[in-house]
Amino acid sequence: MTRQVKVVILGAGTAGMTALKEAQRYTDDVLLINAGPYGTTCARVGCMPSKALLEVAHAYGRRDWLAASGIRGTNTLEADLESVMAHVRKLRDGFVAGPIGTAEALGERSIHGQPRFLDATTLEVNGERIKAEAVIIATGTRPNLPEAWRSFGDRVVTSDEVFELESPGRRVGVVGLGPIGVELGQAFAQLGCEVHAFTRGESVAGLSDPDVNQSLIDVLDGQMSVTTGVEVRLHEGHDGVVMQGGGQEVEVDWVLASLGRRPNVEGLGLENLGVALDKRGVPAFDAATLRIGELPVFIAGDVDGLRPLMHEAADAGRIAAYHALHPNAECLARRTPQGIVFTEPGAGYAGLIGAKLPSSGVVTGSVDFTRQGRAVTAGRNAGRLTLYADERDGRLLGAEMVAPDAEHLLHLLAWSIQQQLNVDQLLEMPFYHPTVEEGLRSALQGVRRELGKRRTQPDLPLCHEPANAALC
Ligand SMILES: Cc1cc2nc3c(=O)[nH]c(=O)nc-3n(C[C@H](O)[C@H](O)[C@H](O)COP(=O)(O)OP(=O)(O)OC[C@H]3O[C@@H](n4cnc5c(N)ncnc54)[C@H](O)[C@@H]3O)c2cc1C
């Protein structure tokens, strides 16, 4: 028997569920097929449980500063890891309920099973044939784990398993210091665990500016042992796992392997689409429309490898569904990129990162948060922010930072970059005192110094400019 459907979506994650909502604006004839667990990676094992854990860790991590600031009794505080993990899972269960409920409410328009393309418009799942006018592949990614490390069982876990640990041991190893390794490593360190982190490259948290990167390493180094530029080997220890690398050998109770992620494309029958696949097994696609060649097949979310973040997966789902149902529509632009790592201080980028800047024509300005007034009052004075601007007109191109409240500063910067604002326009904005935004102002002033521009008036808007009429 063959079912005829207008749009079939493969994967009930963020991209798939957003594609579903977008498609439902135009038609009810949508079918969702999901092979793995429901609830989305973000809510189930990603953004949300990691942030729940980090919030507790950051709060507990404040106890030394509280004690130094005159608050007595902090030495009696204790991190009960079993209860902390149960708290994280309780919040997680609340977050996954929404997407699970949405999928369940689809009734027969939701299938649990492993779909396979027979050709570009025909799929097979659970023995049923589906004929689709358009298909959206939104099957996400899964963590990399070297085959040899699987023999360690639950002593070597990935982000897929870590939140299920009921009572994690207090000697923790971390391999890989990208955003996930850095966040979870710091969380367990702040909760009082002995954390030993190793990473292959010199960069942590995906940062590319050497000074900004070093400022995060300095913070982490005070909380855990951090070794960069080494390849780690694991072997069975007396009472745990032995990590070996960079001339060090240390035994831990368990290891978090955060070694990047790979696309979920196996078994989808993509070879039957008749298009070339790259070395990850992903078909070539148009980065604007997310369409695969001339086929009525689209690819959205982490599986496409373009922008593996939650809000980007959601946008990709919207774009794919929109183009699937409006094949001749004008393409939609992507928003200014930003990435946020929820360490304390936070880290991340907005716009172009240092490594992707043109080799000339760029000026920079920086601020060191170790001496920034508001950060000092809060005992959160660590990190560094660097801005990149176009030498011709002072237009902001990008930023990298490690800073208190980085998540908010990065939004301000991403919004400014998307609005194509230049340094003068930004310095005309209000800055309250005392705030960390004053640190951003220092960096903007640094850019202007680099530009060699001398202002002939104070940094205030001119009355005669129409946009400022209401301010005069
Ligand atoms: C620990 C961690 C922390 C993170 N923190 C953040 C953060 O703070 N902010 C942020 O923006 N991003 C964060 N992310 C990234 C974010 O979770 C992802 O970008 C987002 O979940 C990607 O959504 P997706 O729809 O592409 O994939 P997913 O949500 O993974 O959805 C894919 C779906 O496809 C299903 N599937 C798999 N194979 C098949 C198949 N063959 N057929 C059918 N269905 C299949 C899966 O079961 C799943 O339901 C984090 C990720 C992790 C792991």
Side-chain angles (χ1 to χ4, degrees):
M1 219 183 86
T2 304
R3 214 196 281 205
Q4 306 273 345
V5 185
K6 205 168 185 65
V7 184
V8 175
I9 297 166
L10 310 182
T14 299
M17 299 306 277
T18 316
L20 173 77
K21 287 200 189 105
E22 180 65 23
Q24 283 175 331
R25 291 185 338 115
Y26 318 104
T27 177
D28 288 331
D29 196 8
V30 187
L31 178 69
L32 181 70
I33 307 177
N34 190 59
Y38 288 82
T40 79
T41 291
C42 176
R44 201 171 50 79
V45 289
C47 335
M48 301 313 283
S50 58
K51 266 79 262 181
L53 183 68
L54 280 160
E55 283 300 331
V56 180
H58 294 338
Y60 183 62
R62 297 284 282 164
R63 65 196 183 287
D64 288 345
W65 178 78
L66 285 172
S69 309
I71 304 298
R72 304 285 164 247
T74 55
N75 55 352
T76 62
L77 292 176
E78 192 190 330
D80 169 0
L81 289 190
E82 209 173 313
S83 302
V84 171
M85 298 309 281
H87 159 79
V88 168
R89 283 191 293 273
K90 189 169 164 215
L91 292 188
R92 185 269 321 269
D93 291 347
F95 294 122
V96 297
I100 291 176
T102 307
E104 279 173 358
L106 290 171
E108 290 191 346
R109 295 205 160 271
S110 172
I111 297 179
H112 189 250
Q114 171 72 53
R116 181 173 171 76
F117 280 96
L118 301 181
D119 59 47
T121 54
T122 317
L123 289 147
E124 195 170 63
V125 57
N126 301 342
E128 185 185 6
R129 282 214 172 171
I130 318 269
K131 196 84 191 149
E133 286 179 32
V135 184
I136 298 169
I137 303 165
T139 50
T141 56
R142 63 183 186 284
N144 287 323
L145 187 65
E147 206 43 51
W149 291 8
R150 291 185 194 276
S151 62
F152 291 99
D154 59 8
R155 286 202 179 271
V156 177
V157 299
T158 70
S159 55
D160 270 5
E161 297 88 32
V162 69
F163 303 109
E164 290 305 320
L165 295 177
E166 300 233 323
S167 184
R170 288 184 173 266
R171 297 177 306 164
V172 183
V174 177
V175 187
L177 284 175
I180 294 173
V182 164
E183 283 188 353
L184 296 178
Q186 188 187 51
F188 284 103
Q190 286 184 320
L191 287 167
C193 295
E194 174 193 316
V195 178
H196 301 273
F198 296 82
T199 197
R200 191 190 306 187
E202 296 301 330
S203 148
V204 297
L207 296 166
S208 75
D209 182 290
D211 296 333
V212 174
N213 187 54
Q214 189 56 48
S215 75
L216 185 57
I217 292 176
D218 291 345
V219 170
L220 297 175
D221 232 1
Q223 301 168 339
M224 54 172 126
S225 83
V226 177
T227 310
T228 59
V230 292
E231 201 74 47
V232 168
R233 282 190 307 281
L234 303 184
H235 57 85
E236 290 285 350
H238 174 66
D239 186 25
V241 181
V242 174
M243 307 176 81
Q244 233 177 9
Q248 297 180 52
E249 185 167 297
V250 58
E251 183 165 327
V252 295
D253 296 321
W254 60 280
V255 172
L256 172 75
S258 43
L259 304 167
R261 300 174 68 85
R262 67 175 66 188
N264 292 323
V265 287
E266 294 85 356
L268 283 175
L270 296 181
E271 62 283 2
N272 297 330
L273 293 180
V275 295
L277 306 179
D278 68 16
K279 62 178 191 304
R280 301 169 311 140
V282 176
F285 59 95
D286 182 280
T289 60
L290 305 180
R291 186 171 176 182
I292 297 174
E294 296 297 309
L295 305 176
V297 184
F298 298 78
I299 186 160
D302 283 14
V303 66
D304 70 22
L306 274 188
R307 298 178 173 209
L309 292 167
M310 190 274 183
H311 67 287
E312 299 285 7
D315 274 353
R318 278 181 199 108
I319 291 170
Y322 178 70
H323 284 296
L325 287 158
H326 304 90
N328 300 318
E330 195 184 330
C331 76
L332 303 160
R334 299 300 289 252
R335 299 173 221 257
T336 294
Q338 64 170 342
I340 299 173
V341 182
F342 292 80
T343 42
E344 172 54 46
Y349 68 89
L352 289 179
I353 60 167
K356 295 225 170 116
L357 289 165
S359 54
S360 63
V362 177
V363 289
T364 62
S366 292
V367 62
D368 176 354
F369 275 99
T370 59
R371 294 189 300 273
Q372 203 269 333
R374 178 54 194 264
V376 170
T377 63
R380 301 173 68 206
N381 50 318
R384 184 178 184 83
L385 180 162
T386 298
L387 299 175
Y388 314 109
D390 192 318
E391 177 179 68
R392 289 166 302 182
D393 52 9
R395 197 165 43 88
L396 213 55
L397 298 174
E400 281 196 38
M401 74 174 71
V402 170
D405 294 332
E407 64 186 277
H408 304 302
L409 291 174
L410 284 163
H411 273 87
L412 283 182
L413 287 165
W415 295 356
S416 303
I417 293 165
Q418 188 161 318
Q419 291 294 312
Q420 308 213 347
L421 297 182
N422 65 34
V423 174
D424 289 338
Q425 289 167 314
L426 282 163
L427 283 168
E428 286 178 3
M429 299 290 180
F431 289 86
Y432 205 86
H433 176 72
T435 59
V436 291
E437 283 76 5
E438 290 176 306
L440 170 58
R441 181 173 59 189
S442 303
L444 287 164
Q445 287 164 339
V447 171
R448 195 156 63 191
R449 275 194 300 278
E450 280 281 307
L451 285 168
K453 274 178 70 178
R454 196 174 277 274
R455 288 273 287 181
T456 52
Q457 69 193 55
D459 272 325
L460 288 162
L462 289 169
C463 285
H464 78 264
E465 286 170 2
N468 304 328
L471 305 174
C472 293

